[in-house]
Amino acid sequence: MLLKDRLNEYKKDELLDIARGIELDGISKLKKSDLIELIISKLCCEDMMRIRFECLTDEELALFKKSIKEPQDVKIEDIMPAMQLYIYMLGGFDEVTDYFTVYDEMAEVFEKINDQAFVAEQKKRGWLVKCIHFFRKYYVVAPLEVIYQLYRLKIKDNIADMVDLIWSMPMDIIGCCIFPEDEFQINEMGIDKYLHTEGGLLVNLESFEDGEVFPLLREQVGKDFYIPSAAQLNEIVINGYESSSLAYKKLKEFFKKKLKQSEELAINWCMQVWLSSYNGDMPTEVLKMLDEAGVVFDSEEQMNELVGLMMAAHNNTRLRENRGHKPTELAGKEPLDRMPTIVPGSTKAAAILGEIKPQLENMGMTVEIGKKVYPNDPCPCGSGKKYKKCCGR
């Protein structure tokens, strides 16, 4: 499979976006064929591609190497690495078989740069890319010192070395930039001791450009950063959600045993529940999706059981407004196995349950949202502060 053939399928405006992404200038008046040749010549440059290949995670690199030998039937555990390789324009999917195949031009470049120096550098950059994926999903803004805690889980370089790596990595791969603390003007929305930094703040540029950063920071005020283990970080980045969580294990088993879903479909439904919780959507959205997919419940009790499991999963979903903490962790509670009162520390979750309350009660379920908390009451999250000075902010 040739990269040139794939690029020929793009419209000129799409090719211009690709060209700008790899920092090509003076391209707007070029013919489509000339633009394609220029993009290929830049992408096939050994110096440029060495850094881009070094930024592949271990899973992405393993899939790339296997795909050089023969097209790969992508399993569910390889979907995310395959999609990243596709986005990086290192390979594509065959229209007939849907197998993933590496572009011939990329395979040739890789053979030239695959030496011992490449292997050593890829271990560092590949892990740092995983740390940045976790950061973008759960922090959005964080001191470099916090990113370094993630990086140190596997790589023992000093923080200056890590910062040098960040500055040298392609912007389209990491999607973030370092801001000095004073230039970011955090104090405009209230001092947050967790954002104090000597080295600078890493900022997710997509959220910054969308105007989401400051509203999110107001929700995050007073919450420390969740630092996972290396294994947890790996799991979350590779799988897209924390599949080892007890709540999600039970949810997966329900989909498999009670709703007769295959292993892959059960994982897919768990990811949909995670995404729904992460985005603050109502559980009814997942129920609608199940209905549209032709999934039939044996009884109303079975549907009630699923809703309870989904609410327990929500309470055990890592949220970016909590800087990666689960609502249960902020509340100091154990994971819930039954239809819960929403855990304090997640006002979004309370709003979700409030909206769905009539539908749940029509299913015969009793829903408690909890008593009203007044400004001078102790905060339900257990911080010891008054509500108005904690979650009430």
Side-chain angles (χ1 to χ4, degrees):
M1 181 184 290
L2 293 171
L3 173 59
K4 184 175 182 178
D5 292 339
R6 178 190 168 189
L7 293 177
N8 269 312
E9 297 172 1
Y10 284 83
K11 296 178 181 177
K12 186 178 178 182
D13 285 347
E14 294 171 322
L15 291 170
L16 288 171
D17 287 339
I18 292 171
R20 294 185 187 105
I22 56 176
E23 301 177 5
L24 288 173
D25 299 319
I27 54 177
S28 58
K29 295 182 179 180
L30 290 177
K31 294 180 182 178
K32 181 178 176 179
S33 58
D34 294 334
L35 185 56
I36 289 173
E37 291 298 329
L38 189 60
I39 290 171
I40 290 174
S41 66
K42 183 70 179 284
L43 284 178
C44 292
C45 170
E46 288 182 35
D47 289 341
M48 176 181 177
M49 288 309 299
R50 176 177 284 271
I51 293 178
R52 297 182 73 83
F53 275 117
E54 287 170 352
C55 289
L56 296 182
T57 66
D58 290 345
E59 293 74 23
E60 291 161 3
L61 184 59
L63 179 60
F64 181 86
K65 288 179 176 179
K66 286 192 293 186
S67 302
I68 288 177
K69 296 177 181 178
E70 60 180 349
Q72 295 295 306
D73 182 10
V74 176
K75 307 299 182 185
I76 192 164
E77 63 269 18
D78 288 327
I79 287 176
M80 295 188 76
M83 289 306 300
Q84 284 302 121
L85 294 176
Y86 176 79
I87 291 168
Y88 296 157
M89 291 190 294
L90 299 179
F93 296 90
D94 183 87
E95 290 185 6
V96 178
T97 65
D98 208 29
Y99 279 27
F100 183 81
T101 304
V102 166
Y103 296 127
D104 294 346
E105 300 96 326
M106 296 295 107
E108 290 176 12
V109 175
F110 180 72
E111 290 304 315
K112 294 176 183 177
I113 61 98
N114 186 22
D115 51 28
Q116 288 186 341
F118 164 79
V119 172
E121 199 67 15
Q122 181 272 329
K123 290 297 179 186
K124 294 181 181 182
R125 291 187 191 270
W127 176 249
L128 182 54
V129 165
K130 284 187 177 180
C131 295
I132 288 173
H133 282 327
F134 185 88
F135 148 81
R136 292 183 67 185
K137 184 176 286 186
Y138 294 106
Y139 300 162
V140 179
V141 177
L144 286 172
E145 292 85 350
V146 171
I147 307 303
Y148 185 56
Q149 288 184 64
L150 302 178
Y151 184 65
R152 284 271 301 177
L153 292 170
K154 272 200 170 183
I155 309 297
K156 304 308 178 185
D157 286 349
N158 61 49
I159 190 169
D161 291 334
M162 183 199 75
V163 172
D164 287 343
L165 281 182
I166 292 174
W167 280 119
S168 67
M169 291 163 78
M171 188 61 68
D172 64 312
I173 289 179
I174 62 171
C176 55
C177 192
I178 300 171
F179 283 73
E181 181 182 355
D182 56 346
E183 287 186 20
F184 201 56
Q185 300 176 327
I186 291 296
N187 290 346
E188 286 188 0
M189 38 139 262
I191 296 172
D192 185 348
K193 66 178 181 179
Y194 297 105
L195 288 177
H196 176 66
T197 172
E198 298 294 332
L201 295 169
L202 195 63
V203 180
N204 182 345
L205 289 178
E206 183 180 10
S207 296
F208 186 69
E209 291 164 359
D210 289 346
E212 297 178 351
V213 165
F214 288 105
L216 177 62
L217 286 176
R218 292 187 185 98
E219 290 188 74
Q220 291 178 338
V221 164
K223 299 169 185 174
D224 62 0
F225 292 91
Y226 173 74
I227 305 297
S229 67
Q232 283 178 312
L233 193 151
N234 242 342
E235 175 188 62
I236 292 167
V237 171
I238 294 170
N239 297 342
Y241 74 107
E242 197 167 2
S243 55
S244 65
S245 162
L246 179 60
Y248 277 97
K249 282 183 175 180
K250 290 184 176 181
L251 187 63
K252 179 181 164 185
E253 285 305 300
F254 178 88
F255 282 121
K256 287 174 64 177
K257 293 181 179 179
K258 300 287 183 71
L259 296 185
K260 311 301 181 188
Q261 301 292 289
S262 67
E263 175 80 10
E264 290 196 357
L265 282 175
I267 292 172
N268 178 66
W269 288 119
C270 285
M271 291 180 70
Q272 292 296 340
V273 172
W274 173 86
L275 190 61
S276 174
S277 296
Y278 181 82
N279 290 331
D281 297 329
M282 293 191 298
T284 45
E285 293 303 313
V286 177
L287 295 177
K288 287 178 186 175
M289 293 171 66
L290 286 163
D291 182 58
E292 290 168 0
V295 177
V296 179
F297 292 91
D298 289 343
S299 63
E300 186 175 298
E301 287 73 21
Q302 194 178 65
M303 182 184 289
N304 293 347
E305 184 181 355
L306 174 59
V307 173
L309 289 169
M310 287 196 294
M311 297 309 295
H314 175 91
N315 282 331
N316 287 277
T317 297
R318 301 203 176 278
L319 303 174
R320 62 179 187 170
E321 56 263 37
N322 291 345
R323 288 181 171 149
H325 287 283
K326 304 173 183 179
T328 49
E329 290 171 343
L330 290 186
K333 295 182 181 289
E334 294 299 317
L336 301 174
D337 299 329
R338 55 186 172 74
M339 183 60 197
T341 298
I342 282 293
V343 173
S346 178
T347 53
K348 182 185 289 185
I352 292 169
L353 190 56
E355 290 181 34
I356 198 176
K357 182 178 178 181
Q359 291 140 295
L360 295 180
E361 289 182 339
N362 285 338
M363 296 177 187
M365 302 179 70
T366 301
V367 180
E368 295 180 28
I369 300 184
K371 70 180 183 69
K372 180 177 177 62
V373 182
Y374 292 92
N376 289 318
D377 288 346
C379 189
C381 76
S383 66
K385 300 178 183 178
K386 291 183 178 180
Y387 177 68
K388 67 182 180 182
K389 292 187 176 181
C390 191
C391 295
R393 296 178 65 178

